[in-house]
Amino acid sequence: MHAYGYAFSAKVEPAEPGRLVADATCWIVWRKRAFALSQGAHFVGREPGVTVWLDSPKVSRHHARVVVTAGKATIEDLGSKNGTMVGGARISSPVGLEPGDEIQIGPFRLSFRVGSGQATTESEVHPT
């Protein structure tokens, strides 16, 4: 109908301190998605609002916790039904993560990455 429009209304909330992508020192990667991890604790699960959100009924709401301190990270299972695997082994206590480690949570195979993300762009060498 003529002269009718739409309005959008939403609550705006500030980002949590220390949770900015620019502050990230580590990432958890799944396919083409990268979840930035800054200093502190991060939850992995299917509960909306966790840092690493994995939408599957095979993933607990709060499945695991990743803690990043000084560029190093540990992961621990939070009593999930299906467990957390690192490098193919089910974990039962906090485990240190190394760059390239594979983490399996439910049907998701994730990769742990470390880096500043602030490196300069490399030039591609073109044959002359």
Side-chain angles (χ1 to χ4, degrees):
M1 295 181 90
H2 180 69
Y4 283 86
Y6 296 93
F8 177 78
S9 177
K11 183 178 178 182
V12 177
E13 297 178 5
E16 290 181 45
R19 302 287 180 176
L20 302 174
V21 172
D23 294 338
T25 56
C26 305
W27 288 266
I28 290 182
V29 178
W30 178 66
R31 294 186 179 170
K32 293 184 180 182
R33 290 182 66 185
F35 300 94
L37 306 175
S38 56
Q39 298 287 322
H42 303 273
F43 291 95
V44 180
R46 65 180 164 90
E47 179 80 20
V50 298
T51 305
V52 181
W53 182 65
L54 304 173
D55 188 21
S56 170
K58 294 181 179 180
V59 175
S60 297
R61 286 179 177 85
H62 286 104
H63 197 102
R65 177 176 39 228
V66 177
V67 178
V68 178
T69 308
K72 296 192 182 270
T74 59
I75 187 168
E76 67 178 305
D77 185 77
L78 296 176
S80 65
K81 280 187 178 179
N82 295 317
T84 300
M85 311 262 287
V86 176
R90 189 173 181 144
I91 64 171
S92 58
S93 61
V95 171
L97 291 170
E98 297 294 328
D101 275 354
E102 182 181 284
I103 304 163
Q104 184 165 350
I105 294 180
F108 298 92
R109 290 182 187 265
L110 312 165
S111 177
F112 178 71
R113 307 275 172 87
V114 176
S116 68
Q118 301 299 319
T120 59
T121 303
E122 293 181 6
S123 297
E124 187 173 339
V125 178
H126 296 283
T128 57

